[in-house]
Amino acid sequence: MAGRSGSLRRYVAVRLLLVIPNVFVLLTLVFLLLRVAPGDPVSAALGGRLPAAELARRRAAGGYDDPIIVQYWNYLSHVVRGDLGTTLSDNRSLSSILLVNGSATLSLTVGALLVALVLGVPLGLLAARYRDSALDVAIRVFGVLTYAAPVFFVGVVAITIFTGALGWLPSGQQASPIAQLTVEPVTHIFLVDALIAGDTKSFVDGVEHLIMPAVTLGLLVTGVFIRLIRVNVAQTLRDDYVEAARARGIAERRVVFSHAFRNAMVPFVTVLGLQVALSLGGAILTETTFSWPGLGSQLVQYINARDYVAVQGIMTIFALVVVGISLLIDLVNAAIDPRVRY
């Protein structure tokens, strides 16, 4: 046990140290990709709206006249201090954008993952349990369709049916205007703030607004979960210890859930972290389709406004989140996988 504990501590230390070069590479790529575009951020965002003298003054104030290596050093030093800058087009701090719009993206991502877990895990278990049956084929086809269908197309179809034809659900925004005015933003996560305020009506309104975007984005991940659970559980069901459990007269349902499913969780946890990153990418299209006020929709607006400072800041946020999720998943795997020895 002591050897296992020491090995786990060493693994955690190594993974923490590897975060530093990963973050460094990602920040460097973000900086260089945005510097490939011709001109400077001030001229791109405000050119044609300000006199040449004012543009020159703002370029100098922002350090865009400095050599590229100086700009790079200033960028890294500001990120280390947690200062991602201020947008050029609407003068918002990136910290404010992360707090307000990042909370909306977090709500959407968590909702989408819940949808994917509720649909993907049980369907994957059923497909593995009844492998090569008509039910298995139907579930696999469903998984392929959900993964292959473009997010924006699924969103438009959902709006057409459930808003336009049936009138069941709202087509966009995080909540109705009245609910947003009545709920005080404490955490900036609307559903949590509604619960804190004890406003049941606004909470229900927020859930209704969340359903279609969360299901649309969640279906993208559901197909991955179905395939992963099916493959790993089906493989585990053929192992010797599972056959031994069956020979002892243990019920098949218990064999599937208590033996096969638990041992298939390690690769599932790994892919779960990767799917969070995939959900962040899919959130950009989902938020744009449903006018969801998250980081993705803000990123699209700032790209259209050619606000390179805002784009750079939001891309940096996404990069840091992905690195953080990867680290967390590695640590969870090291803790739950009994086969790991370092």
mmCIF file of all heavy atoms in Angstrom, residues 232-277:
data_model
loop_
_atom_site.group_PDB
_atom_site.id
_atom_site.type_symbol
_atom_site.label_atom_id
_atom_site.label_comp_id
_atom_site.label_asym_id
_atom_site.label_seq_id
_atom_site.Cartn_x
_atom_site.Cartn_y
_atom_site.Cartn_z
ATOM 1 N N ASN A 232 -16.235 -1.709 -24.433
ATOM 2 C CA ASN A 232 -15.510 -2.106 -23.229
ATOM 3 C C ASN A 232 -16.294 -3.093 -22.380
ATOM 4 O O ASN A 232 -15.711 -4.041 -21.840
ATOM 5 C CB ASN A 232 -15.168 -0.858 -22.405
ATOM 6 C CG ASN A 232 -14.028 -0.072 -23.006
ATOM 7 O OD1 ASN A 232 -12.856 -0.422 -22.860
ATOM 8 N ND2 ASN A 232 -14.338 0.998 -23.710
ATOM 9 N N VAL A 233 -17.606 -2.892 -22.270
ATOM 10 C CA VAL A 233 -18.409 -3.831 -21.489
ATOM 11 C C VAL A 233 -18.492 -5.178 -22.202
ATOM 12 O O VAL A 233 -18.372 -6.236 -21.564
ATOM 13 C CB VAL A 233 -19.814 -3.255 -21.233
ATOM 14 C CG1 VAL A 233 -20.726 -4.311 -20.610
ATOM 15 C CG2 VAL A 233 -19.721 -2.047 -20.319
ATOM 16 N N ALA A 234 -18.670 -5.185 -23.510
ATOM 17 C CA ALA A 234 -18.737 -6.446 -24.258
ATOM 18 C C ALA A 234 -17.432 -7.218 -24.129
ATOM 19 O O ALA A 234 -17.431 -8.456 -24.002
ATOM 20 C CB ALA A 234 -19.034 -6.156 -25.725
ATOM 21 N N GLN A 235 -16.302 -6.496 -24.156
ATOM 22 C CA GLN A 235 -15.005 -7.170 -23.991
ATOM 23 C C GLN A 235 -14.851 -7.730 -22.583
ATOM 24 O O GLN A 235 -14.356 -8.848 -22.399
ATOM 25 C CB GLN A 235 -13.885 -6.184 -24.295
ATOM 26 C CG GLN A 235 -12.487 -6.781 -24.194
ATOM 27 C CD GLN A 235 -11.410 -5.773 -24.560
ATOM 28 O OE1 GLN A 235 -11.705 -4.661 -24.969
ATOM 29 N NE2 GLN A 235 -10.165 -6.176 -24.402
ATOM 30 N N THR A 236 -15.282 -6.962 -21.595
ATOM 31 C CA THR A 236 -15.165 -7.409 -20.205
ATOM 32 C C THR A 236 -16.054 -8.614 -19.930
ATOM 33 O O THR A 236 -15.699 -9.507 -19.146
ATOM 34 C CB THR A 236 -15.531 -6.261 -19.251
ATOM 35 O OG1 THR A 236 -14.749 -5.106 -19.559
ATOM 36 C CG2 THR A 236 -15.274 -6.651 -17.805
ATOM 37 N N LEU A 237 -17.221 -8.665 -20.585
ATOM 38 C CA LEU A 237 -18.141 -9.789 -20.368
ATOM 39 C C LEU A 237 -17.560 -11.124 -20.827
ATOM 40 O O LEU A 237 -18.053 -12.180 -20.440
ATOM 41 C CB LEU A 237 -19.468 -9.525 -21.096
ATOM 42 C CG LEU A 237 -20.398 -8.491 -20.455
ATOM 43 C CD1 LEU A 237 -21.585 -8.198 -21.357
ATOM 44 C CD2 LEU A 237 -20.869 -8.966 -19.087
ATOM 45 N N ARG A 238 -16.508 -11.079 -21.653
ATOM 46 C CA ARG A 238 -15.874 -12.317 -22.110
ATOM 47 C C ARG A 238 -14.688 -12.729 -21.242
ATOM 48 O O ARG A 238 -14.074 -13.767 -21.492
ATOM 49 C CB ARG A 238 -15.404 -12.146 -23.559
ATOM 50 C CG ARG A 238 -16.534 -11.957 -24.556
ATOM 51 C CD ARG A 238 -16.052 -12.178 -25.981
ATOM 52 N NE ARG A 238 -15.050 -11.171 -26.349
ATOM 53 C CZ ARG A 238 -15.323 -10.029 -26.962
ATOM 54 N NH1 ARG A 238 -16.589 -9.737 -27.254
ATOM 55 N NH2 ARG A 238 -14.367 -9.187 -27.281
ATOM 56 N N ASP A 239 -14.354 -11.935 -20.234
ATOM 57 C CA ASP A 239 -13.222 -12.258 -19.372
ATOM 58 C C ASP A 239 -13.534 -13.450 -18.473
ATOM 59 O O ASP A 239 -14.697 -13.754 -18.185
ATOM 60 C CB ASP A 239 -12.832 -11.052 -18.517
ATOM 61 C CG ASP A 239 -12.176 -9.952 -19.342
ATOM 62 O OD1 ASP A 239 -11.757 -10.246 -20.486
ATOM 63 O OD2 ASP A 239 -12.078 -8.811 -18.844
ATOM 64 N N ASP A 240 -12.480 -14.099 -17.994
ATOM 65 C CA ASP A 240 -12.637 -15.317 -17.203
ATOM 66 C C ASP A 240 -13.358 -15.072 -15.885
ATOM 67 O O ASP A 240 -14.187 -15.888 -15.459
ATOM 68 C CB ASP A 240 -11.262 -15.937 -16.925
ATOM 69 C CG ASP A 240 -10.598 -16.468 -18.189
ATOM 70 O OD1 ASP A 240 -11.329 -16.731 -19.167
ATOM 71 O OD2 ASP A 240 -9.360 -16.612 -18.202
ATOM 72 N N TYR A 241 -13.043 -13.955 -15.223
ATOM 73 C CA TYR A 241 -13.661 -13.727 -13.916
ATOM 74 C C TYR A 241 -15.169 -13.484 -14.047
ATOM 75 O O TYR A 241 -15.936 -13.780 -13.123
ATOM 76 C CB TYR A 241 -12.980 -12.569 -13.189
ATOM 77 C CG TYR A 241 -13.303 -11.200 -13.725
ATOM 78 C CD1 TYR A 241 -14.365 -10.456 -13.196
ATOM 79 C CD2 TYR A 241 -12.566 -10.641 -14.755
ATOM 80 C CE1 TYR A 241 -14.663 -9.200 -13.682
ATOM 81 C CE2 TYR A 241 -12.856 -9.380 -15.247
ATOM 82 C CZ TYR A 241 -13.905 -8.666 -14.708
ATOM 83 O OH TYR A 241 -14.197 -7.417 -15.190
ATOM 84 N N VAL A 242 -15.610 -12.950 -15.202
ATOM 85 C CA VAL A 242 -17.045 -12.766 -15.428
ATOM 86 C C VAL A 242 -17.707 -14.125 -15.640
ATOM 87 O O VAL A 242 -18.805 -14.389 -15.122
ATOM 88 C CB VAL A 242 -17.287 -11.838 -16.627
ATOM 89 C CG1 VAL A 242 -18.773 -11.754 -16.954
ATOM 90 C CG2 VAL A 242 -16.748 -10.441 -16.330
ATOM 91 N N GLU A 243 -17.047 -14.996 -16.398
ATOM 92 C CA GLU A 243 -17.585 -16.349 -16.584
ATOM 93 C C GLU A 243 -17.650 -17.093 -15.263
ATOM 94 O O GLU A 243 -18.591 -17.855 -14.996
ATOM 95 C CB GLU A 243 -16.711 -17.114 -17.581
ATOM 96 C CG GLU A 243 -16.746 -16.572 -18.997
ATOM 97 C CD GLU A 243 -18.133 -16.662 -19.617
ATOM 98 O OE1 GLU A 243 -18.914 -17.547 -19.204
ATOM 99 O OE2 GLU A 243 -18.436 -15.834 -20.499
ATOM 100 N N ALA A 244 -16.647 -16.845 -14.407
ATOM 101 C CA ALA A 244 -16.660 -17.491 -13.091
ATOM 102 C C ALA A 244 -17.831 -16.977 -12.249
ATOM 103 O O ALA A 244 -18.468 -17.746 -11.512
ATOM 104 C CB ALA A 244 -15.338 -17.236 -12.376
ATOM 105 N N ALA A 245 -18.115 -15.683 -12.350
ATOM 106 C CA ALA A 245 -19.253 -15.125 -11.610
ATOM 107 C C ALA A 245 -20.560 -15.734 -12.091
ATOM 108 O O ALA A 245 -21.453 -16.043 -11.290
ATOM 109 C CB ALA A 245 -19.274 -13.604 -11.784
ATOM 110 N N ARG A 246 -20.673 -15.919 -13.405
ATOM 111 C CA ARG A 246 -21.877 -16.554 -13.938
ATOM 112 C C ARG A 246 -21.993 -17.994 -13.454
ATOM 113 O O ARG A 246 -23.093 -18.472 -13.136
ATOM 114 C CB ARG A 246 -21.847 -16.517 -15.456
ATOM 115 C CG ARG A 246 -22.126 -15.135 -16.064
ATOM 116 C CD ARG A 246 -21.840 -15.125 -17.534
ATOM 117 N NE ARG A 246 -22.266 -13.881 -18.179
ATOM 118 C CZ ARG A 246 -21.745 -13.415 -19.310
ATOM 119 N NH1 ARG A 246 -20.776 -14.101 -19.931
ATOM 120 N NH2 ARG A 246 -22.176 -12.279 -19.825
ATOM 121 N N ALA A 247 -20.847 -18.691 -13.402
ATOM 122 C CA ALA A 247 -20.867 -20.088 -12.980
ATOM 123 C C ALA A 247 -21.291 -20.229 -11.524
ATOM 124 O O ALA A 247 -21.855 -21.259 -11.134
ATOM 125 C CB ALA A 247 -19.471 -20.700 -13.176
ATOM 126 N N ARG A 248 -21.057 -19.177 -10.734
ATOM 127 C CA ARG A 248 -21.469 -19.228 -9.326
ATOM 128 C C ARG A 248 -22.957 -18.918 -9.160
ATOM 129 O O ARG A 248 -23.473 -18.875 -8.047
ATOM 130 C CB ARG A 248 -20.644 -18.243 -8.502
ATOM 131 C CG ARG A 248 -19.187 -18.624 -8.370
ATOM 132 C CD ARG A 248 -18.525 -17.865 -7.225
ATOM 133 N NE ARG A 248 -18.590 -16.423 -7.394
ATOM 134 C CZ ARG A 248 -17.675 -15.705 -8.029
ATOM 135 N NH1 ARG A 248 -16.623 -16.323 -8.588
ATOM 136 N NH2 ARG A 248 -17.794 -14.401 -8.138
ATOM 137 N N GLY A 249 -23.638 -18.651 -10.275
ATOM 138 C CA GLY A 249 -25.072 -18.415 -10.221
ATOM 139 C C GLY A 249 -25.468 -16.971 -9.995
ATOM 140 O O GLY A 249 -26.635 -16.693 -9.691
ATOM 141 N N ILE A 250 -24.515 -16.028 -10.148
ATOM 142 C CA ILE A 250 -24.837 -14.616 -9.981
ATOM 143 C C ILE A 250 -25.727 -14.171 -11.135
ATOM 144 O O ILE A 250 -25.495 -14.517 -12.294
ATOM 145 C CB ILE A 250 -23.548 -13.770 -9.920
ATOM 146 C CG1 ILE A 250 -22.710 -14.183 -8.709
ATOM 147 C CG2 ILE A 250 -23.869 -12.285 -9.862
ATOM 148 C CD1 ILE A 250 -21.384 -13.463 -8.611
ATOM 149 N N ALA A 251 -26.734 -13.382 -10.834
ATOM 150 C CA ALA A 251 -27.681 -12.925 -11.848
ATOM 151 C C ALA A 251 -26.964 -12.121 -12.928
ATOM 152 O O ALA A 251 -26.018 -11.378 -12.649
ATOM 153 C CB ALA A 251 -28.773 -12.078 -11.200
ATOM 154 N N GLU A 252 -27.445 -12.268 -14.177
ATOM 155 C CA GLU A 252 -26.795 -11.601 -15.303
ATOM 156 C C GLU A 252 -26.798 -10.083 -15.136
ATOM 157 O O GLU A 252 -25.824 -9.413 -15.495
ATOM 158 C CB GLU A 252 -27.502 -11.987 -16.602
ATOM 159 C CG GLU A 252 -26.847 -11.452 -17.862
ATOM 160 C CD GLU A 252 -25.484 -12.065 -18.126
ATOM 161 O OE1 GLU A 252 -25.176 -13.117 -17.530
ATOM 162 O OE2 GLU A 252 -24.715 -11.481 -18.924
ATOM 163 N N ARG A 253 -27.873 -9.552 -14.602
ATOM 164 C CA ARG A 253 -27.930 -8.094 -14.419
ATOM 165 C C ARG A 253 -26.832 -7.621 -13.483
ATOM 166 O O ARG A 253 -26.178 -6.604 -13.725
ATOM 167 C CB ARG A 253 -29.299 -7.710 -13.860
ATOM 168 C CG ARG A 253 -29.465 -6.209 -13.655
ATOM 169 C CD ARG A 253 -30.873 -5.889 -13.175
ATOM 170 N NE ARG A 253 -31.042 -4.460 -12.962
ATOM 171 C CZ ARG A 253 -32.172 -3.901 -12.534
ATOM 172 N NH1 ARG A 253 -33.242 -4.668 -12.309
ATOM 173 N NH2 ARG A 253 -32.241 -2.606 -12.354
ATOM 174 N N ARG A 254 -26.588 -8.383 -12.400
ATOM 175 C CA ARG A 254 -25.531 -8.016 -11.464
ATOM 176 C C ARG A 254 -24.159 -8.196 -12.097
ATOM 177 O O ARG A 254 -23.242 -7.409 -11.838
ATOM 178 C CB ARG A 254 -25.654 -8.879 -10.206
ATOM 179 C CG ARG A 254 -24.662 -8.473 -9.120
ATOM 180 C CD ARG A 254 -24.832 -9.318 -7.876
ATOM 181 N NE ARG A 254 -23.802 -9.024 -6.902
ATOM 182 C CZ ARG A 254 -23.622 -9.721 -5.785
ATOM 183 N NH1 ARG A 254 -24.421 -10.759 -5.511
ATOM 184 N NH2 ARG A 254 -22.661 -9.396 -4.945
ATOM 185 N N VAL A 255 -24.016 -9.210 -12.931
ATOM 186 C CA VAL A 255 -22.739 -9.428 -13.617
ATOM 187 C C VAL A 255 -22.409 -8.220 -14.510
ATOM 188 O O VAL A 255 -21.279 -7.719 -14.530
ATOM 189 C CB VAL A 255 -22.778 -10.726 -14.456
ATOM 190 C CG1 VAL A 255 -21.566 -10.799 -15.394
ATOM 191 C CG2 VAL A 255 -22.811 -11.937 -13.549
ATOM 192 N N VAL A 256 -23.426 -7.755 -15.238
ATOM 193 C CA VAL A 256 -23.216 -6.640 -16.163
ATOM 194 C C VAL A 256 -22.876 -5.365 -15.413
ATOM 195 O O VAL A 256 -21.912 -4.661 -15.743
ATOM 196 C CB VAL A 256 -24.458 -6.437 -17.059
ATOM 197 C CG1 VAL A 256 -24.310 -5.170 -17.898
ATOM 198 C CG2 VAL A 256 -24.656 -7.644 -17.966
ATOM 199 N N PHE A 257 -23.667 -5.050 -14.375
ATOM 200 C CA PHE A 257 -23.498 -3.760 -13.698
ATOM 201 C C PHE A 257 -22.363 -3.770 -12.684
ATOM 202 O O PHE A 257 -21.578 -2.818 -12.618
ATOM 203 C CB PHE A 257 -24.816 -3.368 -12.995
ATOM 204 C CG PHE A 257 -25.851 -2.839 -13.937
ATOM 205 C CD1 PHE A 257 -26.812 -3.681 -14.469
ATOM 206 C CD2 PHE A 257 -25.861 -1.517 -14.312
ATOM 207 C CE1 PHE A 257 -27.770 -3.199 -15.348
ATOM 208 C CE2 PHE A 257 -26.803 -1.016 -15.197
ATOM 209 C CZ PHE A 257 -27.761 -1.868 -15.714
ATOM 210 N N SER A 258 -22.255 -4.835 -11.877
ATOM 211 C CA SER A 258 -21.276 -4.834 -10.794
ATOM 212 C C SER A 258 -19.890 -5.269 -11.229
ATOM 213 O O SER A 258 -18.905 -4.901 -10.593
ATOM 214 C CB SER A 258 -21.764 -5.762 -9.661
ATOM 215 O OG SER A 258 -22.996 -5.314 -9.151
ATOM 216 N N HIS A 259 -19.795 -6.053 -12.281
ATOM 217 C CA HIS A 259 -18.492 -6.547 -12.710
ATOM 218 C C HIS A 259 -18.023 -5.871 -14.001
ATOM 219 O O HIS A 259 -17.021 -5.164 -14.013
ATOM 220 C CB HIS A 259 -18.540 -8.071 -12.898
ATOM 221 C CG HIS A 259 -18.743 -8.819 -11.614
ATOM 222 N ND1 HIS A 259 -19.969 -8.904 -10.983
ATOM 223 C CD2 HIS A 259 -17.872 -9.521 -10.843
ATOM 224 C CE1 HIS A 259 -19.849 -9.622 -9.881
ATOM 225 N NE2 HIS A 259 -18.581 -10.012 -9.769
ATOM 226 N N ALA A 260 -18.772 -6.081 -15.077
ATOM 227 C CA ALA A 260 -18.313 -5.585 -16.376
ATOM 228 C C ALA A 260 -18.290 -4.061 -16.441
ATOM 229 O O ALA A 260 -17.313 -3.459 -16.887
ATOM 230 C CB ALA A 260 -19.197 -6.161 -17.482
ATOM 231 N N PHE A 261 -19.369 -3.436 -15.984
ATOM 232 C CA PHE A 261 -19.457 -1.980 -16.110
ATOM 233 C C PHE A 261 -18.403 -1.275 -15.269
ATOM 234 O O PHE A 261 -17.766 -0.320 -15.717
ATOM 235 C CB PHE A 261 -20.858 -1.519 -15.710
ATOM 236 C CG PHE A 261 -21.038 -0.023 -15.796
ATOM 237 C CD1 PHE A 261 -20.879 0.639 -17.002
ATOM 238 C CD2 PHE A 261 -21.345 0.716 -14.669
ATOM 239 C CE1 PHE A 261 -21.038 2.020 -17.092
ATOM 240 C CE2 PHE A 261 -21.507 2.092 -14.739
ATOM 241 C CZ PHE A 261 -21.348 2.742 -15.959
ATOM 242 N N ARG A 262 -18.195 -1.723 -14.042
ATOM 243 C CA ARG A 262 -17.216 -1.071 -13.174
ATOM 244 C C ARG A 262 -15.807 -1.163 -13.744
ATOM 245 O O ARG A 262 -15.029 -0.214 -13.667
ATOM 246 C CB ARG A 262 -17.259 -1.700 -11.774
ATOM 247 C CG ARG A 262 -18.515 -1.372 -11.004
ATOM 248 C CD ARG A 262 -18.519 -2.009 -9.642
ATOM 249 N NE ARG A 262 -17.401 -1.562 -8.815
ATOM 250 C CZ ARG A 262 -17.146 -2.038 -7.612
ATOM 251 N NH1 ARG A 262 -17.912 -2.989 -7.091
ATOM 252 N NH2 ARG A 262 -16.122 -1.577 -6.927
ATOM 253 N N ASN A 263 -15.473 -2.280 -14.341
ATOM 254 C CA ASN A 263 -14.127 -2.427 -14.904
ATOM 255 C C ASN A 263 -13.977 -1.706 -16.237
ATOM 256 O O ASN A 263 -12.858 -1.495 -16.693
ATOM 257 C CB ASN A 263 -13.796 -3.911 -15.070
ATOM 258 C CG ASN A 263 -13.471 -4.583 -13.755
ATOM 259 O OD1 ASN A 263 -12.363 -4.503 -13.250
ATOM 260 N ND2 ASN A 263 -14.468 -5.222 -13.173
ATOM 261 N N ALA A 264 -15.089 -1.357 -16.858
ATOM 262 C CA ALA A 264 -15.021 -0.589 -18.103
ATOM 263 C C ALA A 264 -14.989 0.910 -17.851
ATOM 264 O O ALA A 264 -14.926 1.696 -18.799
ATOM 265 C CB ALA A 264 -16.234 -0.931 -18.980
ATOM 266 N N MET A 265 -15.011 1.323 -16.592
ATOM 267 C CA MET A 265 -15.085 2.740 -16.273
ATOM 268 C C MET A 265 -13.780 3.487 -16.506
ATOM 269 O O MET A 265 -13.789 4.690 -16.759
ATOM 270 C CB MET A 265 -15.510 2.916 -14.805
ATOM 271 C CG MET A 265 -16.987 2.702 -14.572
ATOM 272 S SD MET A 265 -17.997 3.858 -15.522
ATOM 273 C CE MET A 265 -17.557 5.406 -14.749
ATOM 274 N N VAL A 266 -12.626 2.798 -16.411
ATOM 275 C CA VAL A 266 -11.341 3.504 -16.545
ATOM 276 C C VAL A 266 -11.194 4.147 -17.923
ATOM 277 O O VAL A 266 -10.950 5.354 -18.017
ATOM 278 C CB VAL A 266 -10.168 2.560 -16.231
ATOM 279 C CG1 VAL A 266 -8.844 3.247 -16.543
ATOM 280 C CG2 VAL A 266 -10.207 2.133 -14.774
ATOM 281 N N PRO A 267 -11.330 3.400 -19.025
ATOM 282 C CA PRO A 267 -11.258 4.077 -20.327
ATOM 283 C C PRO A 267 -12.399 5.064 -20.538
ATOM 284 O O PRO A 267 -12.230 6.067 -21.233
ATOM 285 C CB PRO A 267 -11.336 2.927 -21.340
ATOM 286 C CG PRO A 267 -11.927 1.786 -20.595
ATOM 287 C CD PRO A 267 -11.479 1.937 -19.189
ATOM 288 N N PHE A 268 -13.544 4.794 -19.913
ATOM 289 C CA PHE A 268 -14.664 5.721 -20.067
ATOM 290 C C PHE A 268 -14.352 7.073 -19.420
ATOM 291 O O PHE A 268 -14.648 8.125 -19.993
ATOM 292 C CB PHE A 268 -15.925 5.121 -19.434
ATOM 293 C CG PHE A 268 -17.107 6.056 -19.440
ATOM 294 C CD1 PHE A 268 -17.786 6.312 -20.610
ATOM 295 C CD2 PHE A 268 -17.523 6.682 -18.273
ATOM 296 C CE1 PHE A 268 -18.871 7.176 -20.633
ATOM 297 C CE2 PHE A 268 -18.603 7.543 -18.281
ATOM 298 C CZ PHE A 268 -19.276 7.788 -19.468
ATOM 299 N N VAL A 269 -13.742 7.054 -18.242
ATOM 300 C CA VAL A 269 -13.382 8.302 -17.568
ATOM 301 C C VAL A 269 -12.387 9.096 -18.405
ATOM 302 O O VAL A 269 -12.456 10.325 -18.504
ATOM 303 C CB VAL A 269 -12.817 8.016 -16.165
ATOM 304 C CG1 VAL A 269 -12.207 9.270 -15.549
ATOM 305 C CG2 VAL A 269 -13.911 7.475 -15.253
ATOM 306 N N THR A 270 -11.449 8.382 -19.040
ATOM 307 C CA THR A 270 -10.469 9.061 -19.892
ATOM 308 C C THR A 270 -11.154 9.790 -21.041
ATOM 309 O O THR A 270 -10.883 10.972 -21.300
ATOM 310 C CB THR A 270 -9.471 8.038 -20.463
ATOM 311 O OG1 THR A 270 -8.825 7.364 -19.382
ATOM 312 C CG2 THR A 270 -8.425 8.721 -21.325
ATOM 313 N N VAL A 271 -12.043 9.099 -21.731
ATOM 314 C CA VAL A 271 -12.729 9.697 -22.873
ATOM 315 C C VAL A 271 -13.705 10.773 -22.406
ATOM 316 O O VAL A 271 -13.949 11.743 -23.123
ATOM 317 C CB VAL A 271 -13.451 8.613 -23.694
ATOM 318 C CG1 VAL A 271 -14.290 9.223 -24.800
ATOM 319 C CG2 VAL A 271 -12.430 7.656 -24.290
ATOM 320 N N LEU A 272 -14.242 10.627 -21.201
ATOM 321 C CA LEU A 272 -15.156 11.640 -20.675
ATOM 322 C C LEU A 272 -14.480 13.005 -20.638
ATOM 323 O O LEU A 272 -15.066 14.019 -21.014
ATOM 324 C CB LEU A 272 -15.628 11.245 -19.277
ATOM 325 C CG LEU A 272 -16.551 12.232 -18.556
ATOM 326 C CD1 LEU A 272 -17.843 12.412 -19.337
ATOM 327 C CD2 LEU A 272 -16.839 11.752 -17.138
ATOM 328 N N GLY A 273 -13.219 13.034 -20.207
ATOM 329 C CA GLY A 273 -12.499 14.301 -20.188
ATOM 330 C C GLY A 273 -12.293 14.866 -21.577
ATOM 331 O O GLY A 273 -12.430 16.079 -21.796
ATOM 332 N N LEU A 274 -11.982 13.996 -22.532
ATOM 333 C CA LEU A 274 -11.813 14.458 -23.911
ATOM 334 C C LEU A 274 -13.122 14.992 -24.481
ATOM 335 O O LEU A 274 -13.130 15.941 -25.276
ATOM 336 C CB LEU A 274 -11.284 13.312 -24.782
ATOM 337 C CG LEU A 274 -9.921 12.736 -24.385
ATOM 338 C CD1 LEU A 274 -9.569 11.550 -25.284
ATOM 339 C CD2 LEU A 274 -8.834 13.807 -24.484
ATOM 340 N N GLN A 275 -14.230 14.391 -24.085
ATOM 341 C CA GLN A 275 -15.521 14.837 -24.597
ATOM 342 C C GLN A 275 -15.930 16.189 -24.016
ATOM 343 O O GLN A 275 -16.716 16.916 -24.628
ATOM 344 C CB GLN A 275 -16.602 13.790 -24.303
ATOM 345 C CG GLN A 275 -16.398 12.486 -25.027
ATOM 346 C CD GLN A 275 -16.114 12.676 -26.503
ATOM 347 O OE1 GLN A 275 -16.869 13.336 -27.212
ATOM 348 N NE2 GLN A 275 -15.022 12.107 -26.979
ATOM 349 N N VAL A 276 -15.427 16.518 -22.825
ATOM 350 C CA VAL A 276 -15.671 17.858 -22.296
ATOM 351 C C VAL A 276 -15.040 18.892 -23.220
ATOM 352 O O VAL A 276 -15.640 19.917 -23.540
ATOM 353 C CB VAL A 276 -15.115 17.997 -20.869
ATOM 354 C CG1 VAL A 276 -15.212 19.443 -20.383
ATOM 355 C CG2 VAL A 276 -15.866 17.080 -19.914
ATOM 356 N N ALA A 277 -13.812 18.598 -23.672
ATOM 357 C CA ALA A 277 -13.156 19.495 -24.626
ATOM 358 C C ALA A 277 -13.935 19.554 -25.939
ATOM 359 O O ALA A 277 -14.100 20.626 -26.539
ATOM 360 C CB ALA A 277 -11.730 19.036 -24.883
#
